[in-house]
Amino acid sequence: MFKCDKCGLCCQNVGKSPVYKELDDGTGKCRYLDENLCGIYENRPL
């Protein structure tokens, strides 16, 4: 894993990944992304 620098880039386009597609909020972004912060950071998927 990597340390989060709160850019939100890792949570963009999750819909394109077969591994993370279930996290897609319908726009391609992770449904847990809020203002470039991960709402489940401590328990985020690898």
Side-chain angles (χ1 to χ4, degrees):
M1 273 203 263
F2 57 89
K3 185 177 183 289
C4 179
D5 63 2
K6 300 179 177 116
C7 69
L9 293 176
C10 63
C11 299
Q12 307 291 323
N13 299 312
V14 294
K16 294 180 181 179
S17 168
V19 175
Y20 299 116
K21 190 173 182 95
E22 74 276 357
L23 298 176
D24 187 346
D25 70 356
T27 68
K29 294 180 181 179
C30 179
R31 62 181 167 200
Y32 298 108
L33 182 64
D34 183 32
E35 300 286 327
N36 287 345
L37 296 174
C38 179
I40 60 167
Y41 181 76
E42 296 300 322
N43 300 306
R44 70 193 185 279
L46 297 173

